[in-house]
């Protein structure tokens, strides 16, 4: 399914993939990923997934407006996350916007970039659970093509600094 990783071969550099979503803890994943990239001389790929629903043909005009608004919101979220990563580690992350199922899109991005060597997610520390992406990934983590790093959403910048 997934292509061979090339992150540490000549002419390549390791990258981590981080998901920028609407959860409160996305910042923890971005912070860790930026620190990791700075430390190893790697890069960060930030992914925002727009979940799409089938639109009836008669509502095509409304669907296109909604799609444009979703892309605008995605770019705004990636602007915030990129600014955060740049402020933390003076890096400029790659930005990817995809449409579809988050799990499928995450795997496809990994498959298409052989330099991605780690997925970084942040877990919600609250009683409602770790979050939808982590809950989905937990079902297939044994088959996942790269290491998965889960950062607690309760960690402070200083605590993440000590770990990265």
């Amino acid at each position: 399914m997934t292509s061979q990783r090339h992150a540490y071969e000549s002419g390549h550099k390791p990258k981590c993939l981080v998901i920028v979503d609407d959860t409160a803890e996305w910042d923890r994943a971005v912070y860790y990923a930026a620190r990791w990239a700075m430390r190893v001389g790697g890069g960060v790929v930030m992914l925002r997934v727009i979940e799409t629903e089938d639109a009836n043909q008669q509502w095509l005009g409304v669907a296109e407006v909604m799609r444009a608004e979703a892309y605008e919101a995605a770019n705004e979220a990636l602007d915030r996350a990129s600014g955060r990563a740049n402020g933390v580690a003076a890096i400029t992350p790659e930005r990817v916007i995809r449409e579809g199922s988050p799990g499928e899109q995450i795997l496809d991005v990994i498959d298409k970039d052989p330099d991605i060597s780690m997925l970084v997610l942040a877990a919600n520390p609250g009683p409602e659970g770790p979050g939808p992406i982590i809950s989905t990934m937990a079902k297939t983590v044994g088959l996942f093509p790269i290491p998965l790093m889960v950062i607690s959403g309760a960690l402070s910048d200083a605590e993440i600094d000590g770990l990265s």
Side-chain angles (χ1 to χ4, degrees):
M1 178 175 105
T2 300
S3 60
Q4 177 68 35
R5 304 287 96 197
H6 298 288
Y8 292 97
E9 294 177 6
S10 178
H12 294 268
K13 72 176 183 178
K15 299 177 194 174
C16 64
L17 176 62
V18 64
I19 310 305
V20 178
D21 57 15
D22 293 327
T23 62
E25 59 273 3
W26 68 263
D27 178 72
R28 303 295 71 212
V30 168
Y31 190 90
Y32 180 89
R35 293 273 307 166
W36 174 87
M38 178 179 69
R39 184 142 340 239
V40 303
V44 174
V45 178
M46 294 183 169
L47 172 63
R48 175 73 175 210
V49 179
I50 299 170
E51 294 186 61
T52 56
E53 297 177 19
D54 294 330
N56 291 332
Q57 193 66 17
Q58 69 192 61
W59 297 104
L60 188 58
V62 173
E64 286 303 314
V65 169
M66 291 174 65
R67 185 171 183 248
E69 290 172 351
Y71 268 87
E72 184 177 327
N75 275 309
E76 288 172 3
L78 289 173
D79 287 345
R80 285 190 306 278
S82 294
R84 178 70 162 140
N86 188 275
V88 169
I91 62 168
T92 303
E94 296 175 39
R95 300 160 52 124
V96 179
I97 299 174
R98 292 290 193 86
E99 292 182 39
S101 160
E104 291 174 10
Q105 296 308 314
I106 290 167
L107 289 172
D108 192 56
V109 168
I110 293 167
D111 189 50
K112 288 187 170 46
D113 189 339
D115 291 342
I116 295 176
S117 58
M118 177 173 45
L119 172 63
V120 179
L121 300 172
N124 179 348
E128 55 276 352
I133 293 177
I134 293 175
S135 296
T136 300
M137 292 295 169
K139 296 173 187 169
T140 60
V141 75
L143 300 171
F144 212 69
I146 59 175
L148 174 64
M149 174 66 72
V150 179
I151 306 301
S152 169
L155 293 175
S156 69
D157 288 357
E159 289 169 321
I160 293 174
D161 289 347
L163 298 169
S164 59

